Amino acid sequence: MWYVINCRDMANSAALRTASRPAHLLRLQALRDRGKLLLAGPYPAIDNTDPGEHGFTGSLIIAEFNSLEDAERWASQDPYKLTGVYQSIDVKPFKRVLP
């Protein structure tokens, strides 16, 4: 089943986000390579794809896992969570309808 992983950043975590990004992307690429990643990306803090110094406020990941528990376990081990970028993570089942 698909799961939405909605993450909210801690305030002033831009430096941590930058430092943790390579490890974060490796995990997402591993999901993609297994055909389990629908989409992933950050929320810009301003209405611009390149927010510059304003940074990001969180991330959205939609991926396929065997269970809610597996999705929550995977999310809890994200480098952004482990390094203090993410303040909170909310995982919910997702029913893909379109496209």
Side-chain angles (χ1 to χ4, degrees), residues 64-75:
E64 188 175 30
F65 294 94
N66 291 327
S67 67
L68 177 60
E69 293 78 19
D70 287 348
E72 290 173 331
R73 187 176 311 109
W74 184 89

Side-chain angles (χ1 to χ4, degrees), residues 12-85:
N12 304 312
S13 61
L16 289 173
R17 181 179 265 275
T18 299
S20 305
R21 189 169 189 262
H24 171 76
L25 291 178
L26 278 175
R27 292 182 84 236
L28 291 172
Q29 290 165 350
L31 280 178
R32 181 201 60 203
D33 292 348
R34 293 188 354 248
K36 303 291 184 180
L37 182 65
L38 183 61
L39 65 86
Y43 297 121
I46 62 171
D47 190 13
N48 192 312
T49 58
D50 182 8
E53 66 185 39
H54 300 283
F56 300 93
T57 62
S59 301
L60 174 70
I61 300 163
I62 302 178
E64 188 175 30
F65 294 94
N66 291 327
S67 67
L68 177 60
E69 293 78 19
D70 287 348
E72 290 173 331
R73 187 176 311 109
W74 184 89
S76 73
Q77 295 302 309
D78 191 287
Y80 283 173
K81 177 65 176 170
L82 298 176
T83 60
V85 174

